[in-house]
Amino acid sequence: ERDLFRAKADAHYAEAWAFVHFLRHSTSENLRRFERCFEALLGPVPAAEAVRAAFGSDEQIDRIDDAFREHVEKLLSRK
């Protein structure tokens, strides 16, 4: 798995920054999620716990993912 991840490192990097952009610029709630997650990751909490606390249930994460995909599509359509 690690080799597969590294083979697509550029794509993962770009996607991660697109997600950060989405969280910081889409809605005030997503900005709060980003801030909560970032703060939690600075502490002793395991990463998976920090993400779950900031982003919520699987259903909520699915809604965020859908909104993120729409956000990226809008950004790409501007080109």
Side-chain angles (χ1 to χ4, degrees), residues 29-43:
E29 179 59 28
N30 282 337
L31 177 58
R32 285 191 296 277
R33 285 184 178 105
F34 173 80
E35 291 169 345
R36 281 193 307 261
C37 188
F38 191 78
E39 288 293 321
L41 289 169
L42 293 174

Side-chain angles (χ1 to χ4, degrees), residues 55-69:
F55 293 99
S57 67
D58 288 343
E59 293 80 18
Q60 182 62 32
I61 291 170
D62 287 343
R63 285 192 293 276
I64 293 166
D65 184 55
D66 290 343
F68 170 58
R69 290 174 188 277

Side-chain angles (χ1 to χ4, degrees), residues 1-49:
E1 282 187 24
R2 186 172 284 177
D3 290 337
L4 178 60
F5 181 83
R6 287 182 183 154
K8 296 182 178 184
D10 290 344
H12 295 302
Y13 184 81
E15 188 173 289
W17 274 113
F19 190 61
V20 168
H21 181 273
F22 164 74
L23 291 174
R24 293 186 47 106
H25 299 284
S26 60
T27 67
S28 58
E29 179 59 28
N30 282 337
L31 177 58
R32 285 191 296 277
R33 285 184 178 105
F34 173 80
E35 291 169 345
R36 281 193 307 261
C37 188
F38 191 78
E39 288 293 321
L41 289 169
L42 293 174
V45 177
E49 245 180 80

